[in-house]
Amino acid sequence: MITKQQVLDWLRKSSDVLEENRQYLTKLDTAIGDADHGNNMYRGFNKVKSQLDDHADKDIGAILKAVAMTLISTVGGASGPLYGTFFLQAGTKMAGKAELDGDSLAVMFRAGVDGVKMRGKAQPGDKTMIDVLEPVAQAIENDIKEGKSVSDTLHHAVEVAEKGVADTIPLIAKKGRASYLGERSKDHQDPGATSSMMIIKALSESVG
Amino acid sequence: MVGIVIVSHSKPLAESLRDLALEMGQNKARIAAAGGVDDPDNPVGTDAMKILEAIQEVYSDDGVLVFMDMGSAIMSAEMALEFLDETQRENVKLCGASFVEGVVAATALAASGAEMDEIIREAKLALKGKTAQLGEDDSDDEGTGTAEEARESNETAGNADIKEEYTLRNTMGLHARPAAKVVQTVTGRDAEVFIRNITRESDFVSAKSMNSLISLNVQQNDTVQVAYTGTEAEALQELISEMMKSNFGESTAPAPKRTKKASPKKDSRSGMPDDGVLKGISISPGFAIAPVKQYSVTLPDIEEEKQDNPEMELSLLRDALAEAEKEIEEVKQKSSNEIGEVEAAIFDAQILLLKDPELLKKVDARIAEGLTAPYAWRSSLDDVIEMYEQITGDSIISTRVIDLIDVGTRVLEKLTGENFSDIDINEPCILCMNEISPSDAASLNTESVLGICCEKGSDVSHSAIIARSLGIPTVFNLGPALSEIKEDTEVVLNAETGELFTKPDDTLKQQIAKERAHWLEVKEKAHDGRKEQGITANGERIEVLANVGDEHEINQVLDLGAEGVGLFRSEFLFMERTEAPNEDEQFKAYKSAAQSLGKKKPLVIRTLDVGGDKPVSYISIGEEENPFLGQRGIRYCLSEPEMFKEQLRALLRASAFGNLQIMFPMIATAGELRKALNLLEECRAELDEKGLKYNEKIKTGIMIEVPSAVETLDTLLPLIDFVSIGTNDLSQYMMAADRTNPSVGPLTSYYQPAVLRVIERTIRMANEAGKEVSMCGEMARDVKVMPVLLAFGLRKFSMSAAGIPEFKYRLKKIDTESSGLGELAANVLSARSPEEVKEYLS
Ligand SMILES: Nc1ncnc2c1ncn2[C@@H]1O[C@H](COP(=O)(O)OP(=O)(O)OP(=O)(O)O)[C@@H](O)[C@H]1O
Ligand SMILES: [Mg+2]
């Protein structure tokens, strides 16, 4: 079970880790983008963090939707509508829930990831956050179906996410700013995939 | 006034562009800038909420056009649209035109009061000035060339000698089938024909291009202008005006109002409702339980590539087109055996798309520029599809898109040797897709595809027609949530109610499984037994006949189990032509029909029934206030005795070749019937004189569709051999309500006690007089009222052939001697409302 408190912890942790890695993400985005991904994510999640106290009375679905609205209106880059849609779809599916079991977790992730795909129209292999999000969503679905605990599932998800990040390195970008670089986008790690991995790791750490 | 929104990563850029454009728009335009994000340290970026505010600032019902710089600007704008309410969202369009030129052009036009579509078109062309000045050829760019072509067409058409205007009254306007007819008529003639839609203020387009004709978006009651030039101009004018004036021989009933689907409770646009039940429109009934298989229909992706041998690419393209045509021809042949010729004619429209001169011109130009044939073909199709999609809101046009994708994919397969399209399914499943194309539908493995569910699709689409004839339970218009269903999820489809249950519980599964078993049993038994004679449980023989429109349908209806033809509508022979068919031509058609049926099986031919809702151009009935109560049917024929006698002679001569019978429509008085019979006598004498043979004992009869005929039936029956009840007209004349008028239509239901009573009376009186009686209206195939009609004493039914298998199957369950049946008849006759009648029947 993931409690509401753990969800709030997750968001706080995400915000912290994105702040710590602000320079790092921006550096990744300098190589193949416009050097703003770290700033974008920091701006969005810092705002999310500042609003966490307002969420005391809300259910998990409502919290996730509030996060979505904040990200949509503060992030600024492509990751704004993309992560915004993730949390919006996830929140919609989790409406009214006070805690999440394994099945809900799987449904939530799938909804979020499908939302990102719908919004950005990226496929796995396009060198975007989808290269992390899609395999993670699949791994969670499988693990839960096989009866793994939420905690084990999330530990596994982090491994999958880390592999997903590494896998973006040799790819040629097909979506986003980096796609303007064509071949030259090779041999760089995708910033969005990296921030996705960090957020997933934060979730796993919050749940324990 | 259309509003303009500028979205940029940079606030200064958005605002400067706004100012620049405003100067052009004489400061009148409604224009808002949404640039940058609210972060003083890192101000560059896009913000969906800001875009939303900007849209709302300039919004009016005339619409808003949004221009974006790049990257996340597009995603953020799309996001913003989702926060608008549905009615507003429909009026807001994202425009892919060049940023600076597009905005400036759009602002100028918007300020002058232009409409959305025009602004979009012009904005997209705005870059043209610059590229032309720089001498760059960019015909690769969307829209380029079209403006010039439009100017040329307008000029040629403007100088044409013959111009004529027509108002199209048929329900679907100039949709695929009529457009195909126009193209077929014009192609290969020594003339140019251009058409424009006056109602929608379009440019002239060439009538040789199917795509261009469809893009005119001619809907019911739109007026078009047609310009003819060239040596054969006059001949074409005659043909085309005939088609237009007869509304292509199609129904002119008012188009059903497109009601917005009530959307189920959901939080976002694509959301799945909490109960997991999706609702759509039922296309073909039945039930299914199976795992989901997701498929999507789009044109395959083709990479942009260059080549340096345009001639070879062109010849590759020609080969591919020819092969594709051959293949479509084969699918058509195959489908005409399986699903009937009328449905298969859909593929003719597809073949015309392959030959569309406008489309081919585009493709050729791109190949000439050095693009490969597959890419040139694919990108030109994209342009056409985009054009269709811009013509908003019309379901008939969007069904064309799916046809285009269908044809386009086939050609790409030929060009690349890859297989993109086959839906290869061998495990039982319910097929879920955004839309299904006609060839997909026709090539489905009906053994494994237990159900079809589509996000979109309309009930007038070609695919719907095919799905229906395949008998697969099908529901369209289930919405985007359909794609959210995970592959292999077991779902339950109730295509009777149009519901798809994505989270079915066991009770529901069991219930639907039972329904399905029953449905399958009925279907299978009905199909197997379709060629057996119509017979009731207690062994009483019932004749089950078909209604047909022309002689070519006969083999098909025989295969569906028809025991003869109870109504041959001769007016179809007379429609879509410039003059009446002469005696010989009619004779040939009737004779061929008689021969297809053999000596015994009845062929009841109704004499010409025009007027009312069936106008024929060369027949001048004159303006009538109320054509349904005017010169129609026998009334018209008696006023044109020479023409009528040509038909009667043709019928008599054909009677030598089978069991042909003559039926007069719309008889209201004994005087009319006597006149008609006298003319028939004259014809016999004329044939005798010429020594031409006919069946001396030919049977004659009348349609019962005017209440006065029922009232005076005793005076009519002695003159004839049979009567046939036409329930559609009889109920509208009985109830004094126009069945094509939606506000009074329900009054004309044959469940009305008054209608049931006159039917009962007709059947009883005919039986008592020892005359044959049958029924040939819609009611005849309604298996729910069939027991009542049997109880009334009806023993002969004529219906559209698709209903025959089930009709015969149900017949076998009914015992005409059971006391229950008599009771049912008595109850129904004493009912006080249609609702009460329905209660007795259920
Ligand atoms: N269409 C897309 N689908 C999925 N992910 C995408 C897409 N476009 C970009 N991304 C992800 O977003 C990341 C970049 O996010 P960032 O916030 O830097 O946006 P950006 O590219 O700078 O946006 P902008 O278009 O405003 O310049 C990429 O590393 C990639 O993972
Ligand atoms: Mg960036």
Side-chain angles (χ1 to χ4, degrees):
Chain A
M1 264 322 164
I2 301 176
T3 62
K4 180 172 139 184
Q5 190 51 48
Q6 284 170 328
V7 169
L8 292 172
D9 285 349
W10 168 36
L11 296 169
R12 190 183 319 275
K13 259 207 174 66
S14 300
S15 162
D16 292 343
V17 67
L18 290 167
E19 180 168 2
E20 279 160 34
N21 287 288
R22 182 173 172 181
Q23 301 299 336
Y24 172 60
L25 289 174
T26 294
K27 199 183 97 205
L28 292 177
D29 198 28
T30 311
I32 55 170
D34 53 353
D36 63 357
H37 191 59
N39 294 336
N40 290 345
M41 294 304 286
Y42 165 73
R43 186 164 54 224
F45 271 85
N46 197 41
K47 188 74 188 240
V48 167
K49 184 156 81 176
S50 75
Q51 293 167 338
L52 285 182
D53 292 342
D54 307 344
H55 297 333
D57 302 331
K58 293 186 186 144
D59 64 62
I60 294 180
I63 295 174
L64 298 179
K65 279 200 245 173
V67 169
M69 295 314 294
T70 306
L71 294 179
I72 289 166
S73 56
T74 54
V75 170
S79 38
L82 291 167
Y83 282 122
T85 306
F86 180 95
F87 282 99
L88 197 59
Q89 296 296 342
T92 305
K93 279 278 153 62
M94 295 301 108
K97 291 212 173 6
E99 49 185 20
L100 311 178
D101 58 12
D103 286 334
S104 309
L105 174 69
V107 169
M108 173 184 97
F109 236 84
R110 173 47 65 198
V113 173
D114 284 352
V116 176
K117 283 164 101 179
M118 183 264 301
R119 170 77 48 234
K121 311 207 167 59
Q123 297 293 325
D126 287 353
K127 197 179 184 107
T128 67
M129 56 177 75
I130 284 300
D131 291 315
V132 166
L133 295 176
E134 178 58 36
V136 166
Q138 276 174 18
I140 293 179
E141 280 168 340
N142 287 339
D143 288 358
I144 294 296
K145 212 192 262 165
E146 283 167 17
K148 278 202 194 156
S149 71
V150 168
S151 166
D152 288 352
T153 300
L154 286 173
H155 281 118
H156 182 210
V158 173
E159 286 167 27
V160 173
E162 284 172 343
K163 177 165 182 309
V165 170
D167 287 348
T168 62
I169 298 175
L171 294 174
I172 298 176
K174 296 269 168 57
K175 283 277 167 353
R177 285 268 169 142
S179 63
Y180 292 117
L181 297 179
E183 286 279 337
R184 277 183 292 137
S185 62
K186 260 190 174 172
D187 298 331
H188 294 285
Q189 182 173 319
D190 179 63
T194 312
S195 58
S196 289
M197 179 270 287
M198 289 172 176
I199 293 170
I200 289 158
K201 206 166 174 179
L203 176 58
S204 168
E205 284 169 6
S206 313
V207 173
Chain B
M1 184 193 299
V2 174
I4 311 274
V5 168
I6 302 173
V7 179
S8 169
H9 281 67
S10 151
K11 187 170 184 187
L13 178 56
E15 288 174 355
S16 308
L17 179 53
R18 178 193 58 197
D19 297 342
L20 181 68
L22 269 177
E23 281 171 21
M24 304 283 299
Q26 300 122 15
N27 287 319
K28 274 196 303 197
R30 294 159 68 93
I31 176 164
V37 290
D38 289 330
D39 177 359
D41 297 330
N42 297 288
V44 176
T46 57
D47 176 348
M49 291 301 137
K50 241 188 195 177
I51 301 171
L52 179 65
E53 278 163 30
I55 293 173
Q56 277 162 345
E57 186 187 323
V58 298
Y59 182 86
S60 75
D61 288 341
D62 292 338
V64 175
L65 201 53
V66 183
F67 292 82
M68 300 133 295
D69 60 359
M70 60 191 171
S72 69
I74 302 162
M75 268 188 251
S76 295
E78 284 173 343
M79 187 98 229
L81 288 199
E82 282 178 24
F83 289 105
L84 288 170
D85 73 50
E86 205 157 324
T87 42
Q88 290 197 342
R89 196 189 305 146
E90 281 177 8
N91 294 328
V92 179
K93 297 264 170 327
L94 306 185
C95 182
S98 57
F99 195 52
V100 177
E101 287 84 354
V103 167
V104 170
T107 310
L109 268 176
S112 71
E115 286 187 26
M116 189 73 127
D117 289 348
E118 189 189 345
I119 301 181
I120 293 177
R121 212 173 326 123
E122 287 303 316
K124 289 196 160 181
L125 289 172
L127 201 55
K128 176 106 173 123
K130 183 152 84 187
T131 50
Q133 171 112 30
L134 295 173
E136 290 169 359
D137 189 0
D138 71 334
S139 35
D140 194 54
D141 216 290
E142 297 143 279
T144 310
T146 357
E148 209 161 299
E149 277 162 26
R151 208 174 314 124
E152 260 171 44
S153 311
N154 282 341
E155 206 176 294
T156 327
N159 295 331
D161 308 325
I162 315 178
K163 274 185 233 159
E164 208 169 3
E165 289 183 15
Y166 316 95
T167 301
L168 272 179
R169 303 269 178 225
N170 55 321
T171 316
M172 306 219 290
L174 194 64
H175 63 105
R177 257 164 291 189
K181 272 188 195 154
V182 173
V183 174
Q184 282 161 343
T185 312
V186 174
T187 309
R189 297 291 197 124
D190 186 15
E192 292 283 343
V193 178
F194 296 93
I195 307 188
R196 70 180 172 131
N197 185 345
I198 297 185
T199 311
R200 290 172 208 276
E201 299 179 354
S202 78
D203 286 320
F204 273 106
V205 300
S206 161
K208 288 182 182 161
S209 162
M210 178 91 175
N211 284 320
S212 305
L213 288 185
I214 303 272
S215 75
L216 290 175
N217 193 14
V218 178
Q219 302 192 3
Q220 186 174 33
N221 296 328
D222 280 6
T223 301
V224 298
Q225 187 179 42
V226 185
Y228 309 84
T229 77
T231 38
E232 288 192 86
E234 263 172 60
L236 281 179
Q237 180 200 11
E238 204 173 312
L239 288 170
I240 290 183
S241 61
E242 154 60 18
M243 290 177 188
M244 296 270 183
K245 285 180 186 155
S246 66
N247 299 303
F248 296 92
E250 295 187 336
S251 155
T252 53
K257 291 234 164 51
R258 265 187 252 287
T259 38
K260 285 232 180 74
K261 232 184 4 138
S263 42
K265 171 174 102 156
K266 55 186 178 181
D267 288 316
S268 78
R269 188 143 63 134
S270 65
M272 167 78 67
D274 290 341
D275 57 4
V277 184
L278 298 179
K279 274 192 106 22
I281 46 177
S282 166
I283 296 293
S284 177
F287 305 88
I289 305 179
V292 158
K293 189 109 198 107
Q294 294 273 9
Y295 263 95
S296 70
V297 182
T298 48
L299 277 174
D301 273 329
I302 302 289
E303 301 235 342
E304 177 170 351
E305 265 177 297
K306 298 268 178 194
Q307 41 79 18
D308 46 17
N309 189 347
E311 254 130 65
M312 196 181 78
E313 292 291 312
L314 270 180
S315 83
L316 288 177
L317 178 72
R318 298 282 168 256
D319 291 350
L321 290 172
E323 270 181 69
E325 182 180 342
K326 218 173 82 205
E327 224 176 72
I328 298 175
E329 219 23 92
E330 281 164 18
V331 180
K332 184 184 146 193
Q333 290 306 332
K334 178 165 160 262
S335 343
S336 36
N337 302 335
E338 274 169 24
I339 63 180
E341 273 178 49
V342 185
E343 282 85 1
I346 289 160
F347 293 102
D348 285 338
Q350 290 204 347
I351 291 177
L352 280 174
L353 287 172
L354 283 179
K355 298 184 168 166
D356 191 311
E358 299 294 319
L359 175 65
L360 294 181
K361 230 197 276 173
K362 255 195 187 149
V363 184
D364 289 357
R366 288 179 190 181
I367 291 178
E369 270 165 39
L371 290 163
T372 58
Y375 184 77
W377 172 253
R378 150 95 217 220
S379 59
S380 307
L381 270 184
D382 274 346
D383 289 356
V384 179
I385 291 173
E386 190 184 334
M387 173 188 79
Y388 281 169
E389 283 173 348
Q390 273 178 16
I391 307 168
T392 46
D394 186 85
S395 70
I396 292 162
I397 287 194
S398 44
T399 68
R400 300 302 306 151
V401 170
I402 198 83
D403 274 338
L404 269 175
I405 292 180
D406 200 6
V407 179
T409 307
R410 203 181 283 279
V411 173
L412 285 173
E413 284 180 345
K414 301 289 149 231
L415 278 171
T416 61
E418 282 179 58
N419 186 349
F420 301 115
S421 63
D422 267 8
I423 300 189
D424 187 13
I425 289 174
N426 299 308
E427 310 257 306
C429 71
I430 290 178
L431 189 60
C432 293
M433 43 204 321
N434 57 354
E435 246 177 316
I436 185 164
S437 70
S439 5
D440 285 342
S443 69
L444 286 181
N445 176 348
T446 50
E447 305 266 290
S448 347
V449 178
L450 305 188
I452 303 173
C453 293
C454 293
E455 282 177 34
K456 301 193 229 158
S458 81
D459 54 355
V460 296
S461 67
H462 297 157
S463 313
I465 298 172
I466 294 177
R468 243 174 247 138
S469 51
L470 291 175
I472 302 177
T474 302
V475 177
F476 282 1
N477 233 328
L478 286 157
L482 188 67
S483 62
E484 290 179 18
I485 308 172
K486 252 187 282 162
E487 192 83 356
D488 293 332
T489 318
E490 193 175 53
V491 296
V492 166
L493 179 66
N494 181 344
E496 310 277 336
T497 57
E499 285 170 308
L500 179 69
F501 301 87
T502 62
K503 302 177 192 162
D505 59 19
D506 287 341
T507 355
L508 180 77
K509 274 192 214 167
Q510 277 162 14
Q511 182 207 331
I512 296 285
K514 232 195 260 157
E515 301 261 23
R516 174 171 168 82
H518 180 66
W519 170 72
L520 280 179
E521 189 186 298
V522 170
K523 204 169 86 150
E524 196 181 306
K525 290 207 180 128
H527 186 77
D528 289 348
R530 72 193 191 281
K531 296 209 174 161
E532 292 166 15
Q533 282 199 334
I535 200 154
T536 63
N538 52 323
E540 201 168 349
R541 175 81 174 89
I542 307 293
E543 263 183 274
V544 187
L545 310 171
N547 300 344
V548 302
D550 68 40
E551 68 275 17
H552 306 295
E553 277 177 55
I554 289 180
N555 286 329
Q556 202 183 324
V557 304
L558 287 176
D559 188 54
L560 281 164
E563 299 168 7
V565 169
L567 170 64
F568 180 109
R569 301 187 173 92
S570 65
E571 53 274 13
F572 286 101
L573 266 177
F574 289 72
M575 286 170 135
E576 289 175 41
R577 15 184 333 139
T578 49
E579 53 183 17
N582 63 23
E583 179 183 325
D584 275 336
E585 197 179 331
Q586 293 188 52
F587 165 65
K588 278 197 199 111
Y590 305 146
K591 175 179 158 194
S592 130
Q595 285 174 329
S596 311
L597 284 163
K599 284 273 169 213
K600 289 247 175 56
K601 296 197 182 88
L603 168 63
V604 179
I605 299 186
R606 180 173 70 188
T607 60
L608 183 61
D609 183 13
V610 290
D613 58 348
K614 292 175 264 183
V616 173
S617 67
Y618 52 89
I619 289 178
S620 62
I621 292 179
E623 275 294 304
E624 291 185 314
E625 276 283 316
N626 197 335
F628 273 114
L629 299 181
Q631 278 282 68
R632 61 170 294 204
I634 198 73
R635 303 171 184 178
Y636 170 75
C637 287
L638 290 176
S639 75
E640 291 282 341
E642 283 318 309
M643 180 173 136
F644 191 32
K645 279 172 70 182
E646 290 217 25
Q647 178 169 41
L648 293 177
R649 279 193 302 268
L651 287 168
L652 281 172
R653 284 167 59 195
S655 72
F657 299 88
N659 181 7
L660 189 153
Q661 313 179 11
I662 297 177
M663 175 158 74
F664 301 112
M666 282 294 289
I667 295 285
T669 68
E672 286 169 345
L673 177 55
R674 242 181 258 112
K675 272 191 206 148
L677 290 170
N678 284 343
L679 289 175
L680 190 65
E681 273 315 308
E682 284 176 28
C683 292
R684 284 175 184 248
E686 286 164 22
L687 293 183
D688 286 341
E689 210 163 288
K690 288 197 197 142
L692 292 169
K693 57 181 180 356
Y694 58 89
N695 175 7
E696 311 251 339
K697 289 189 223 116
I698 185 167
K699 287 185 182 169
T700 54
I702 59 171
M703 293 277 293
I704 298 293
E705 42 194 347
V706 183
S708 65
V710 183
E711 213 50 63
T712 56
L713 200 55
D714 54 329
T715 66
L716 300 170
L717 285 170
L719 306 175
I720 47 171
D721 304 296
F722 66 89
V723 299
S724 182
I725 307 171
T727 51
N728 304 358
D729 273 324
L730 181 59
S731 32
Q732 81 165 345
Y733 291 134
M734 195 62 207
M735 302 303 298
D738 178 352
R739 63 182 144 100
T740 63
N741 176 345
S743 53
V744 296
L747 263 182
T748 69
S749 156
Y750 48 68
Y751 289 119
Q752 289 285 357
V755 177
L756 286 163
R757 287 183 197 189
V758 296
I759 289 172
E760 191 273 338
R761 192 137 67 98
T762 307
I763 298 170
R764 183 160 37 86
M765 288 177 72
N767 281 335
E768 280 168 9
K771 304 285 176 172
E772 288 173 39
V773 52
S774 68
M775 176 179 283
C776 61
E778 270 300 298
M779 187 181 188
R781 75 173 280 190
D782 183 343
V783 291
K784 286 203 273 329
V785 285
M786 175 235 283
V788 174
L789 295 174
L790 288 170
F792 288 172
L794 191 67
R795 294 293 178 268
K796 199 193 254 190
F797 296 75
S798 187
M799 64 196 73
S800 69
I804 290 179
E806 191 184 346
F807 186 91
K808 284 189 176 171
Y809 174 80
R810 304 267 176 186
L811 201 56
K812 276 190 279 194
K813 311 260 169 215
I814 293 174
D815 179 352
T816 47
E817 279 157 12
S818 79
S819 59
L821 213 58
E823 217 171 278
L824 178 64
N827 279 336
V828 161
L829 285 176
S830 64
R832 273 149 303 183
S833 68
E835 289 73 30
E836 206 181 317
V837 171
K838 279 183 204 159
E839 242 165 66
Y840 286 124
L841 293 179
S842 62

